[in-house]
Short mmCIF file of all heavy atoms in Angstrom, two decimals:
data_model
loop_
_atom_site.label_atom_id
_atom_site.label_comp_id
_atom_site.label_asym_id
_atom_site.label_seq_id
_atom_site.Cartn_x
_atom_site.Cartn_y
_atom_site.Cartn_z
N SER B 106 -24.16 9.52 5.34
CA SER B 106 -24.24 8.39 4.42
C SER B 106 -22.86 7.92 3.97
O SER B 106 -22.71 6.86 3.42
CB SER B 106 -25.06 8.78 3.19
OG SER B 106 -24.45 9.89 2.57
N GLU B 107 -21.80 8.71 4.18
CA GLU B 107 -20.47 8.29 3.75
C GLU B 107 -19.91 7.26 4.73
O GLU B 107 -19.96 7.45 5.92
CB GLU B 107 -19.54 9.51 3.70
CG GLU B 107 -19.98 10.60 2.75
CD GLU B 107 -19.96 10.15 1.30
OE1 GLU B 107 -19.33 9.11 1.02
OE2 GLU B 107 -20.56 10.83 0.47
N PRO B 108 -19.40 6.19 4.23
CA PRO B 108 -18.84 5.18 5.13
C PRO B 108 -17.56 5.65 5.80
O PRO B 108 -16.86 6.51 5.26
CB PRO B 108 -18.56 3.99 4.20
CG PRO B 108 -18.47 4.57 2.85
CD PRO B 108 -19.30 5.80 2.81
N THR B 109 -17.26 5.11 6.94
CA THR B 109 -16.04 5.42 7.65
C THR B 109 -15.33 4.12 7.97
O THR B 109 -15.80 3.04 7.62
CB THR B 109 -16.33 6.15 8.98
OG1 THR B 109 -17.01 5.24 9.84
CG2 THR B 109 -17.18 7.38 8.75
N SER B 110 -14.22 4.23 8.65
CA SER B 110 -13.46 3.03 8.98
C SER B 110 -14.26 2.08 9.86
O SER B 110 -13.99 0.88 9.89
CB SER B 110 -12.15 3.41 9.67
OG SER B 110 -12.42 4.11 10.86
N ASP B 111 -15.25 2.58 10.57
CA ASP B 111 -16.05 1.70 11.42
C ASP B 111 -17.00 0.84 10.62
O ASP B 111 -17.65 -0.05 11.16
CB ASP B 111 -16.84 2.52 12.45
CG ASP B 111 -15.94 3.09 13.52
OD1 ASP B 111 -14.83 2.55 13.70
OD2 ASP B 111 -16.33 4.07 14.16
N ASP B 112 -17.12 1.12 9.34
CA ASP B 112 -18.06 0.37 8.52
C ASP B 112 -17.47 -0.93 8.01
O ASP B 112 -18.19 -1.72 7.40
CB ASP B 112 -18.51 1.23 7.32
CG ASP B 112 -19.30 2.43 7.77
OD1 ASP B 112 -20.32 2.22 8.44
OD2 ASP B 112 -18.88 3.55 7.46
N VAL B 113 -16.20 -1.13 8.20
CA VAL B 113 -15.60 -2.41 7.84
C VAL B 113 -15.01 -3.03 9.09
O VAL B 113 -14.45 -2.34 9.93
CB VAL B 113 -14.52 -2.27 6.75
CG1 VAL B 113 -15.14 -1.97 5.41
CG2 VAL B 113 -13.50 -1.22 7.10
N GLN B 114 -15.15 -4.34 9.17
CA GLN B 114 -14.65 -5.05 10.32
C GLN B 114 -13.54 -5.98 9.89
O GLN B 114 -12.99 -5.86 8.80
CB GLN B 114 -15.81 -5.84 10.97
CG GLN B 114 -16.96 -4.97 11.41
CD GLN B 114 -16.57 -3.97 12.47
OE1 GLN B 114 -15.76 -4.24 13.35
NE2 GLN B 114 -17.14 -2.78 12.40
N GLY B 115 -13.21 -6.88 10.79
CA GLY B 115 -12.24 -7.91 10.45
C GLY B 115 -10.85 -7.35 10.28
O GLY B 115 -10.49 -6.29 10.80
N LEU B 116 -10.06 -8.07 9.52
CA LEU B 116 -8.67 -7.70 9.32
C LEU B 116 -8.55 -6.38 8.57
O LEU B 116 -7.66 -5.57 8.86
CB LEU B 116 -7.97 -8.82 8.53
CG LEU B 116 -6.47 -8.68 8.30
CD1 LEU B 116 -5.71 -8.49 9.60
CD2 LEU B 116 -5.95 -9.93 7.56
N LEU B 117 -9.45 -6.12 7.65
CA LEU B 117 -9.43 -4.85 6.93
C LEU B 117 -9.69 -3.70 7.90
O LEU B 117 -9.02 -2.66 7.85
CB LEU B 117 -10.45 -4.85 5.81
CG LEU B 117 -10.50 -3.57 4.96
CD1 LEU B 117 -9.17 -3.34 4.25
CD2 LEU B 117 -11.64 -3.64 3.92
N GLY B 118 -10.66 -3.87 8.77
CA GLY B 118 -10.94 -2.83 9.77
C GLY B 118 -9.75 -2.57 10.67
O GLY B 118 -9.45 -1.42 11.00
N ILE B 119 -9.08 -3.63 11.06
CA ILE B 119 -7.89 -3.47 11.89
C ILE B 119 -6.83 -2.66 11.15
O ILE B 119 -6.22 -1.74 11.70
CB ILE B 119 -7.32 -4.86 12.29
CG1 ILE B 119 -8.26 -5.55 13.27
CG2 ILE B 119 -5.92 -4.73 12.89
CD1 ILE B 119 -7.90 -7.00 13.56
N CYS B 120 -6.61 -3.00 9.89
CA CYS B 120 -5.58 -2.29 9.11
C CYS B 120 -5.93 -0.80 8.97
O CYS B 120 -5.05 0.06 9.06
CB CYS B 120 -5.43 -2.92 7.73
SG CYS B 120 -4.65 -4.54 7.75
N ILE B 121 -7.20 -0.51 8.77
CA ILE B 121 -7.61 0.89 8.62
C ILE B 121 -7.40 1.64 9.93
O ILE B 121 -6.84 2.74 9.95
CB ILE B 121 -9.07 0.97 8.16
CG1 ILE B 121 -9.18 0.50 6.71
CG2 ILE B 121 -9.61 2.39 8.31
CD1 ILE B 121 -10.60 0.40 6.20
N ARG B 122 -7.84 1.03 10.99
CA ARG B 122 -7.74 1.73 12.29
C ARG B 122 -6.29 1.85 12.75
O ARG B 122 -5.95 2.76 13.50
CB ARG B 122 -8.61 1.03 13.33
CG ARG B 122 -10.09 1.29 13.13
CD ARG B 122 -10.93 0.72 14.26
NE ARG B 122 -11.16 -0.71 14.09
CZ ARG B 122 -12.10 -1.22 13.29
NH1 ARG B 122 -12.86 -0.44 12.58
NH2 ARG B 122 -12.26 -2.52 13.20
N GLU B 123 -5.47 0.92 12.35
CA GLU B 123 -4.07 0.95 12.80
C GLU B 123 -3.14 1.59 11.77
O GLU B 123 -1.92 1.54 11.95
CB GLU B 123 -3.58 -0.47 13.10
CG GLU B 123 -4.38 -1.20 14.17
CD GLU B 123 -4.27 -0.55 15.53
OE1 GLU B 123 -3.29 0.19 15.75
OE2 GLU B 123 -5.15 -0.78 16.38
N ALA B 124 -3.70 2.16 10.71
CA ALA B 124 -2.85 2.83 9.71
C ALA B 124 -2.06 3.93 10.42
O ALA B 124 -2.61 4.71 11.17
CB ALA B 124 -3.71 3.41 8.59
N GLY B 125 -0.76 3.98 10.18
CA GLY B 125 0.06 4.97 10.86
C GLY B 125 0.64 4.46 12.16
O GLY B 125 1.46 5.14 12.80
N CYS B 126 0.27 3.25 12.55
CA CYS B 126 0.81 2.67 13.79
C CYS B 126 2.25 2.23 13.53
O CYS B 126 2.53 1.52 12.57
CB CYS B 126 -0.05 1.48 14.20
SG CYS B 126 0.61 0.57 15.60
#
Side-chain angles (χ1 to χ4, degrees):
Chain B
S106 59
E107 300 294 345
T109 66
S110 60
D111 288 339
D112 294 302
V113 288
Q114 301 298 323
L116 184 55
L117 181 62
I119 290 171
C120 289
I121 289 173
R122 285 187 279 279
E123 301 295 339
C126 173

